[in-house]
Amino acid sequence: MDNLIRHANAGLHHDIPVLKKNDLAMSRIEQYLRCLQLNDIERFRIRQEVLERVNLSGETEVSYGLVFSVLQTVLARLSGGDELGIRLQPWSGVNRKRHENQEKLSGWLKQQLQPPLARQPMVPLRLNRSWRDACRRFLTVLGIRRGTPAVRRALQG
Amino acid sequence: MLALTKPPPAWKLIAQSRRMWFTALVIFPTIFASALLAQSFAYSLPLWLEIPILVIFILLFSWVSVGFWTALAGFILLLRGSVHISQGSPELSMGQPREKTRVAVVIPIYNEEVGRVALGLLATYRSLESAGALSYFDFFLLSDTRDPEIWLKEEIAWAGLCKMLEGFGRIHYRRRSMNKKAKSGNIADFCRRWGRGYEYMVVLDADSVMSGRTLLDLLKMMEGNPQIGIIQTQPVAVNRETLYARLQQFAHRLYGPLFSAGLRFLQLGDGHYIGHNAILRVAPFMRHCALPVLPGDPPLGGVLLSHDFVEAALMAKGGWEVWFVPELDGSYEEVPPTLIDDLKRDRRWVQGNLQHMRLLWSEGLRSAHRLLFVNGVMSFLAAPLWGAFLLLGAVAAWYWQRSGGGMNAEGIFELFPAWIFGLTAFLLFSPKFMALFWVIAQPHQATRFGGRIRLGLSVILEMLYSILMAPIRMFFHSQFVFQVFRGKSARWGVQVRSDQAISWAGGWQDFGWCSVVGLVLAALGYLFLGKGYFDWLAPVLLGMSVAVPLAVWTSRASVGRAARQNCLFVIPEEHDPPAELLELSQDIWIKFPCLKDDPFVQVVVDPQLNALHVALQRNRNYSAKHRLLCQKALELGPDHLTQKERNTLLGDRHSMLSLHLGVWSLADKVKMAQWGLEDLDSVARSPVSLNYESI
């Protein structure tokens, strides 16, 4: 994708006039960046990188889509390949350990959401609800009926 | 070889003896009173009228007696200060928790007010932290929410809480995409997934709060008593402001301890479980308490609606003890704010308790739990029985009048002896005076209820209110019972947890028929039954007639607050609020990101909210269905998506990423406006600023 965009924008002069030419797309990117917790250097770098790669004059969904694809690539590069990571910065906790910082923030957050599964079955046991059996049990308790039914012995041979 | 059987624990013998005495105390006075009534009826009523009246009288009198004797036992125990000294009581052997002991605090939620749930969790969490016991506990928000807006709020609340409390890895969130078997299914789902990792679990309701010290005490009791499966606390009703809820809170707080102490006295290790504010041993819960599905269709078949009593019964059937520990404070809940909300909850409880009739004969259940099932059934069956008793009484009075009996006050007392009224009133109201006496007898306790005079006044007003409210409940509960027997099932509704007043129009809609029936019956009764029986029925008819104004006025928080300002219906938790409840009143919610208007739109558009939601979703197959839904959303706008379609999109990580990119790439102004991006135009016209603000 990067190469494709570079190829499409080859030969452009990336200076102030380019900014002027791309003002609609850039203003939308500015709006987007305002929603992120970035410092001035990061914002500047993102703008610069996007401008280096994109030159748009039309106002179409395809062109905006292209701009945002580039923006996402740049954002991903800023947070170690995890585009979501930079968008998730406000949600990350201060107690995130050092080794955890090396993994993707989105993955880390997912792990915090739910602990690892430790599956175990939970199935209902058989419950004899028969009132006839209940009557039999009651009679057994009263001593009117024998608890175990008589079993006829079978003789072999 | 001789089989060595373990002797039964000492408490079982004690409980047997207590229950025997208790049964005698209920049965013999009932027989005596019924015999006297039968004697009175013998020469005045025909057999076809006498027998049904007597049968209903026996059922109702024994039912009222059960309450009276339970309260009396509790009253004596509380005066002696000896609720928890029976052999085998968990309070007597508390063990220090082992280092590796893990407890899961599970909070099943279903379309709840997210702010209140988060505050409750926060209060409990901080209290555990202060008690130095947090290391044993993990929290699980178990959501069955179907409303996508509430779902998104829950996710943000989870992330916000984790960040605020530094609780990542300790506070967890899970939403079921299929809410099978409602709340009990949600808990079972937790057990299947993570139960093996936890020795105990504490179940909290969405409106529950528990103090860290109480949770630690529960844990110590479990550690010191390995034979116990469930320990139930008695949650105190707090925090409501409507007059209706304040009256409930006051009654629970003042009279509740008597009944609780009495119940504990009778139950001992065969206690009950109310589904929340309790600690459970996970392994036996998973082994024994998976709930059966009753054959047949709802309302009397299918999934058990009131699962808690059944779980306690199954736990005891499996050989584990279930204890009720009413003296443990620091356990709180909230009551429904208005009469209609309370009745909606009762509708589900009626169905759930009537389902228990089908479990009464189940093999292996302990008799104490069978009696709890009967108790639950009678809680609601008493309403139609009372209604039938009044109607048959009216027929009897009419018959008595036609056969020459006098229908003035003296005449009616020939038919229904005066002692019936006196004795019933004594059985019903004496527990309230016992509770009043108990509070006044304790030093400084009356002050916590607003002072002796205000407390006495509150009791009298609460009694008048309960007299008026009883016939309204009777009418509605009777209706609910008939609905269940006619096969009409209750839906799994959302509980209202905030103070919302009933309008006059709403009051007429819900209670108008009750008032009309009350007025019509009053007119008919006065015309045909004579003054004697009419006077007897007057409180019942008055209660029904004033149902609309009573429901409307008691639903108002302003009236409740006025009562509070006048020190009426005050409870100790208001006079001297515990730290956990103070925490609830703090407005920390404003620190969380605010989801305005349409949360779905915000989660699609806002890069941070979108990232959070996407990060928490599973990777599913991005199917043609998802692709079509994304196209529909982008073409027609979010308003054209149904709730189900929104849920489908929200549940798919790839769809939400695609939508995010798609919305930010829109060129059509109208479509952009549908997603709240209309102001980009103005941004585009203004020069791009290099001064960036951080959010």
Side-chain angles (χ1 to χ4, degrees), chain A residues 18-132:
Chain A
V18 177
L19 173 64
K20 185 76 180 170
K21 201 173 174 183
N22 292 329
D23 59 353
L24 276 172
M26 283 312 293
S27 61
R28 192 171 290 192
I29 282 179
E30 288 302 324
Q31 177 82 348
Y32 191 88
L33 293 182
R34 277 197 197 106
C35 302
L36 301 177
Q37 279 191 355
L38 301 167
N39 58 36
D40 285 353
I41 299 168
E42 284 170 331
R43 283 169 202 267
F44 190 77
R45 198 177 143 195
I46 291 166
R47 268 186 88 234
Q48 202 176 24
E49 288 202 33
V50 174
L51 280 171
E52 270 178 18
R53 297 171 185 208
V54 183
N55 179 30
L56 298 167
S57 52
E59 193 187 351
T60 62
E61 286 179 8
V62 176
S63 54
Y64 281 129
L66 200 62
V67 170
F68 270 87
S69 299
V70 173
L71 176 67
Q72 284 185 331
T73 314
V74 176
L75 287 174
R77 194 180 305 144
L78 268 179
S79 62
D82 181 20
E83 186 266 327
L84 282 181
I86 205 152
R87 292 205 265 143
L88 283 169
Q89 281 300 338
W91 302 108
S92 64
V94 288
N95 60 347
R96 223 177 138 210
K97 292 172 193 161
R98 185 176 294 172
H99 70 273
E100 287 171 338
N101 273 321
Q102 287 160 5
E103 66 178 298
K104 287 183 177 177
L105 187 52
S106 54
W108 176 84
L109 204 64
K110 188 85 196 287
Q111 281 172 15
Q112 308 311 305
L113 185 73
Q114 292 170 8
L117 289 180
R119 282 196 185 275
Q120 200 172 6
M122 183 178 173
V123 284
L125 299 177
R126 191 178 165 275
L127 193 64
N128 180 5
R129 296 184 301 104
S130 158
W131 61 269
R132 285 195 193 88

Side-chain angles (χ1 to χ4, degrees), chain B residues 24 29 173 182 200 217 354 382 550 607 665:
Chain B
Y173 173 77
Y200 311 110
D217 282 347
L354 292 182
L550 202 65
S665 306

